[in-house]
Amino acid sequence: MAGVSWIVRPKGSEHVIITAPDAPVGVGDAVDRLQAALDGFPGRKPVWFRPLERLGYWWYPICMVAMAVAVAFAGPRELGLNIAYGLGAGVTVAVLSGMVLTGLAHLQSRLTSGRTVEQAVKEVAPLARGAGGVADRVEAILARDPAREREVHLLAWRAAGVGTPHRGRADDELDELWKLADPAGAAAREAKIREIEAALAPHRRDRKR
């Protein structure tokens, strides 16, 4: 089936967002605000950070070339080794500088907006929520039975709501529909959950001692 209109995968983001049933026309703004918050920006992104964000992974080759040029003739080794050293050091510079600049941008966004990421997520929760593990189940169910879209939307919306009433029940009902639509996928998910729980069990026992 075609993509589900109320499951949003913003371009350039790893997050998946679900919009509310019967959401108003302005829900797009809530989606944008939630995406920014999930990326660590509770308010407006700093202007100076936007060009860096647009560069994306191009930041790595830029830093590598800059470092290679910087040490090509200034390093203690011969030219070829200096360039190789500069390229390697450029990767480290790109990672560290990217982390620092992103952290500063997050901090500026929090200070100028006067709210935390958690507060920003809560503000838009009536209209948009992080879909988490809901999206794949939704798409599998509706690929098998598109006529259930309204029912599935309501279930998925409740299942995506952290701390909302009946969230667990909605998640279980969504699982049951998923098992009918994609038995292999559901079984693989359950096996992965059991594997994670088994790995965590020793740590939980240690805490109780």
Side-chain angles (χ1 to χ4, degrees), residues 33-56:
R33 290 172 61 193
L34 178 57
Q35 179 190 350
L38 293 175
D39 287 336
F41 298 93
R44 191 180 298 276
K45 292 182 183 179
V47 175
W48 61 265
F49 183 74
R50 292 173 189 168
L52 178 62
E53 188 177 42
R54 283 194 293 270
L55 281 174

Side-chain angles (χ1 to χ4, degrees), residues 160-190:
V162 177
T164 55
H166 313 302
R167 179 193 180 195
R169 186 187 305 170
D171 199 56
D172 290 342
E173 289 183 43
L174 203 61
D175 265 350
E176 291 304 314
L177 293 175
W178 187 37
K179 289 174 184 176
L180 294 174
D182 183 12
R189 179 174 180 261
E190 288 183 352

Side-chain angles (χ1 to χ4, degrees), residues 70-83:
V71 301
F73 300 101
R77 304 171 182 83
E78 62 182 48
L79 180 61
L81 289 175
N82 285 343
I83 292 175

Side-chain angles (χ1 to χ4, degrees), residues 124-150:
V124 299
L127 294 175
R129 298 170 181 170
V134 166
D136 291 341
R137 286 181 285 169
V138 163
E139 290 166 343
I141 294 166
L142 295 183
R144 182 178 187 269
D145 191 355
R148 305 190 79 151
E149 181 169 359
R150 177 68 179 177

